[in-house]
Amino acid sequence: MTDIVLIRQTDLISDADIARALPALQTQLDRDFRPYWGMTAKLWDGAFFPTAAYPFYLQDGLDDPNALGYHVGEQGKVSARIDVRATIKSGGDGWSVVSHEILETVADPLTSRMA
């Protein structure tokens, strides 16, 4: 099973915010995603997680100013970056982009498929 850890690198959300969001994100994976895609993941906060977990960095700003978030899979190493500041500025709460990237990463970790 895939492990994903949310790592906070912004002051716009707190560790407590992540702890509150994890159960809803996990429910989405297990209840809504797994029955249709046949796959899921285990989500972790930044306090304790398996060393092989895919890191999802929740940060302010990205190297691509036109993106709110993205994931990359290069040489078997998968990670994601979500621009919390830009997401909030565009009217979102940040969690919809996190959710999107989690689902996309679970379905296509190496960004090599199209559906």
Side-chain angles (χ1 to χ4, degrees):
M1 177 186 302
T2 301
D3 290 296
I4 295 173
V5 58
L6 302 183
I7 300 171
R8 184 177 66 85
Q9 296 181 325
T10 177
D11 291 330
L12 296 174
I13 58 173
S14 67
D15 291 335
D17 293 330
I18 292 173
R20 281 190 298 274
L22 280 180
L25 294 167
Q26 189 69 60
T27 296
Q28 180 186 37
L29 275 167
D30 295 339
R31 185 192 67 201
D32 304 331
F33 188 78
R34 181 175 34 198
Y36 297 99
W37 287 84
M39 48 187 95
T40 191
K42 171 70 175 139
L43 303 178
W44 302 85
D45 63 23
F48 176 78
F49 55 92
T51 57
Y54 298 161
F56 273 50
Y57 301 100
L58 309 179
Q59 61 190 58
D60 297 330
L62 298 175
D63 54 353
D64 180 350
N66 297 314
L68 295 178
Y70 61 83
H71 82 278
V72 294
E74 297 173 346
Q75 301 172 349
K77 296 180 181 178
V78 178
S79 65
R81 299 193 178 275
I82 292 94
D83 187 343
V84 175
R85 182 177 306 282
T87 302
I88 291 171
K89 188 176 179 180
S90 71
D93 60 5
W95 296 112
S96 59
V97 177
V98 173
S99 168
H100 171 91
E101 290 304 326
I102 288 171
L103 299 176
E104 200 171 64
T105 299
V106 172
D108 186 14
L110 300 178
T111 63
S112 60
R113 296 173 37 187
M114 187 169 5

